[in-house]
């Protein structure tokens, strides 16, 4: 009897909170690529029409994509051509579970763009692929840069990439050594940007 009472008390003590959030950096350099992870239990799939970007309180156009990997949605957005200032990303009219009920409250995350220029940008920021894939890296600096690539050993690719100012190169990834689902993180790095 004591065990069942104890179990019920623990269940009652746990909050039924499933707060939605956008996980991303709070500050970006100009030209950088935003990769934001959305942590929410959506009632209906999240769509691009639900995502908006604002500078201050004014809606602005943005080049972005939405995709689902595993249990999470991701938003990739390019900050090329965006000036320094205060911005926000807002998910509107998307139904999700909060405290055990379905709601469509806006999910908002503020961020800023600094006056510095990012070393490089990437496109796309995430990939959902059944086979081999590639991404493009673009040097945004006035001088050459080297981008180091960290990846799981199951993915075959180059380990680094040299880019002249303004140069865009494609990085190919071979998935032939992967069996089954393989959610993975690939990091592209310079001395000042990951």
């Amino acid at each position: 009897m004591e065990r069942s009472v104890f179990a019920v008390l623990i269940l009652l003590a746990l909050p039924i909170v499933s707060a939605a959030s956008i996980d991303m950096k709070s500050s970006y350099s100009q030209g950088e690529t935003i990769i934001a992870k959305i942590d929410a239990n959506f009632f209906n799939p999240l769509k691009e029409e639900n995502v908006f970007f604002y500078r201050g309180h004014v809606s602005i156009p943005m080049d972005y994509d939405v995709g689902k990997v595993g249990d999470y949605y991701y938003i990739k957005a390019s900050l090329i051509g965006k000036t320094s200032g205060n911005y926000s990303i807002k998910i509107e009219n998307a139904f999700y579970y909060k405290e055990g009920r379905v709601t469509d409250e806006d999910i908002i995350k503020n961020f800023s763009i600094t006056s510095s220029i990012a070393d490089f940008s990437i496109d796309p920021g995430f990939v959902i692929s059944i086979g081999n894939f590639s991404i493009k890296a673009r040097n945004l600096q006035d001088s050459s840069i080297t981008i180091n690539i960290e990846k799981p050993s199951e993915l075959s690719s180059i380990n680094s990439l040299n880019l002249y100012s303004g140069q865009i190169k494609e990085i190919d990834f071979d998935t032939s050594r992967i069996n089954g689902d393989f959610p993975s993180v690939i990091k592209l790095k310079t001395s000042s940007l990951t």
Side-chain angles (χ1 to χ4, degrees):
M1 179 72 174
E2 287 181 33
R3 286 185 185 175
S4 61
V5 171
F6 180 69
V8 170
L9 290 176
I10 287 177
L11 289 175
L12 292 175
L14 295 174
I16 308 175
V17 175
S18 144
S21 64
I22 301 173
D23 183 21
M24 60 188 271
K25 298 186 327 183
S26 61
S27 178
Y28 292 88
S29 297
Q30 293 179 36
E32 195 170 342
T33 303
I34 292 175
I35 301 173
K37 178 181 174 183
I38 313 304
D39 189 358
N41 184 7
F42 287 100
F43 184 73
N44 295 317
L46 180 64
K47 299 178 183 174
E48 287 188 18
E49 305 87 68
N50 300 116
V51 179
F52 298 88
F53 289 86
Y54 293 86
R55 180 162 193 221
H57 297 287
V58 178
S59 180
I60 59 167
M62 185 75 76
D63 177 23
Y64 71 95
D65 294 308
V66 175
K68 187 173 184 183
V69 179
D71 293 332
Y72 298 100
Y73 284 93
Y74 290 86
I75 298 171
K76 166 267 182 199
S78 172
L79 298 181
I80 290 178
K82 302 301 180 214
T83 58
S84 60
N86 294 318
Y87 292 79
S88 60
I89 181 172
K90 186 187 290 189
I91 298 173
E92 301 176 9
N93 303 314
F95 291 91
Y96 63 94
Y97 291 95
K98 178 180 179 184
E99 298 175 349
R101 288 187 254 169
V102 176
T103 183
D104 67 345
E105 289 178 29
D106 293 346
I107 306 168
I108 303 169
K109 178 71 173 193
N110 296 321
F111 65 96
S112 63
I113 300 176
T114 66
S115 59
S116 63
I117 305 295
D119 285 353
F120 64 93
S121 66
I122 57 170
D123 189 37
F126 59 84
V127 176
I128 302 169
S129 175
I130 295 174
N132 297 341
F133 63 93
S134 63
I135 61 174
K136 291 180 183 175
R138 176 180 178 186
N139 181 353
L140 301 176
Q141 293 297 304
D142 290 333
S143 58
S144 297
I145 62 170
T146 299
I147 300 174
N148 295 307
I149 303 166
E150 291 182 9
K151 63 194 177 323
S153 59
E154 292 85 355
L155 280 176
S156 298
S157 179
I158 58 175
N159 294 319
S160 66
L161 175 68
N162 295 314
L163 293 172
Y164 298 110
S165 178
Q167 187 177 20
I168 300 171
K169 278 191 181 177
E170 208 161 282
I171 306 167
D172 297 316
F173 293 91
D174 181 350
T175 61
S176 60
R177 297 188 318 193
I178 297 173
N179 294 321
D181 288 345
F182 188 75
S184 179
V185 174
I186 300 168
K187 292 183 181 180
L188 281 68
K189 293 179 160 188
T190 60
S191 60
S192 61
L193 178 63
T194 300

